[in-house]
Amino acid sequence: MANFTGLAAFLAALAIASAVPGCAAAAEQPAAFVEFESPLASAQPLQGLLRRPERPGPLPAVVLLHGCSGQWRELDERWGKRLAAWGYVTLTVDRFGPRGISNTCTGDVPAATVHDAYRALSFLTRQSLVDPRRIAVVGFSQGGWLALLSVERGAIEVNATEKFRAAVAFYPRCLGIKGDMTVPTLIMVGELDDWTSAQECRNLAQGRDDDGISRQQGLGYPIELIVYPGAHHDFDEPQYRIPGQLLGHHLEFNEQVRDRSIDALKKFLYATIGGQEKTQ
């Protein structure tokens, strides 16, 4: 397992590159594998892939959380690279590897993982290249549910020293989320999703509980919900250009919807934590 040496070398290379005239404008920086909680410091060490843009800091940042199948490297390739090109430092968390988990699609979310978003946030706030006031969490499927859980008013959020400034959930399970969000929140889901129901997310965004009964109004930030007609679960994953099945659920890539979600994410992040043109 790698350690902080890899991160130090990565940051040192960036510093050298920016100091040499004409060097900083060159090629895209590769993702750096980082272990941000070692086995010596934590019984549940965490690792991930860190990307930073080719521009001076402090920069806004995004924590990326994968779904129940893992595939964190694929998530970094699909979204980490894109977000870095927009001007964000990204940390794609591997929630499973250090814990010996292959996937959690047939069971409950492991209790140990519910704090992972904040453990990644804590790591990012200690990096000089990151603006600690401008960090968002973006999750997909199970990771989207964890992103929502992380920023709703409750024990996880209230006990965290550092705070997220925004949250985005792609096709999350919306059941079990109370809806009292502490930060601006965006949910994107497909109308035809038979795994994570669009209607359950409508109930959440419209202030109704899991049974459709209205909750107390005016709590927290309103949730922005985008429901994409004709879209299924995993609409952003090109590996499902040929539709697939997992545990009886339909998975299908939709290029048009993927592109619309890219545009929605870019606008939301810029409005909440800024971007390469916005410093405050």
Side-chain angles (χ1 to χ4, degrees), residues 26-207:
E28 165 191 297
Q29 287 291 336
F33 178 88
V34 293
E35 182 183 83
F36 51 96
E37 286 188 355
S38 75
L40 296 179
S42 171
Q44 296 288 340
L46 284 177
Q47 61 191 26
L49 290 171
L50 179 72
R51 290 184 182 269
R52 70 148 292 168
E54 279 283 12
R55 45 184 62 91
L59 300 170
V62 175
V63 171
L64 291 167
L65 301 176
H66 62 74
C68 69
S69 298
Q71 299 184 342
W72 60 291
R73 291 185 181 275
E74 291 83 353
L75 177 59
D76 170 75
E77 185 69 20
R78 197 166 75 249
W79 285 101
K81 182 181 291 187
R82 178 176 289 118
L83 288 166
W86 294 349
Y88 300 100
V89 176
T90 66
L91 178 58
T92 305
V93 181
D94 174 14
R95 298 187 292 117
F96 294 169
R99 294 170 171 138
I101 300 171
S102 57
N103 72 74
T104 58
C105 296
T106 58
D108 294 331
V109 178
T113 72
V114 300
H115 297 282
D116 287 356
Y118 280 101
R119 296 163 76 186
L121 172 64
S122 180
F123 170 80
L124 286 173
T125 61
R126 298 194 302 270
Q127 309 309 308
S128 61
L129 54 96
V130 172
D131 183 345
R133 303 167 301 169
R134 298 192 291 150
I135 303 176
V137 58
V138 178
F140 298 77
S141 195
Q142 187 182 94
W145 183 82
L146 287 171
L148 297 178
L149 184 69
S150 296
V151 299
E152 72 171 359
R153 201 173 308 278
I156 296 175
E157 188 277 336
V158 76
N159 288 316
T161 303
E162 296 89 5
K163 305 293 184 181
F164 285 107
R165 293 298 180 266
V168 181
F170 281 73
Y171 38 88
R173 179 176 181 266
C174 289
L175 283 176
I177 302 298
K178 298 187 295 292
D180 183 5
M181 315 311 285
T182 60
V183 298
T185 301
L186 170 64
I187 295 174
M188 291 182 276
V189 64
E191 182 69 74
L192 301 180
D193 196 319
D194 64 2
W195 200 340
T196 53
S197 164
Q199 185 56 48
E200 291 168 0
C201 292
R202 285 194 184 96
N203 287 342
L204 176 61
Q206 294 169 6

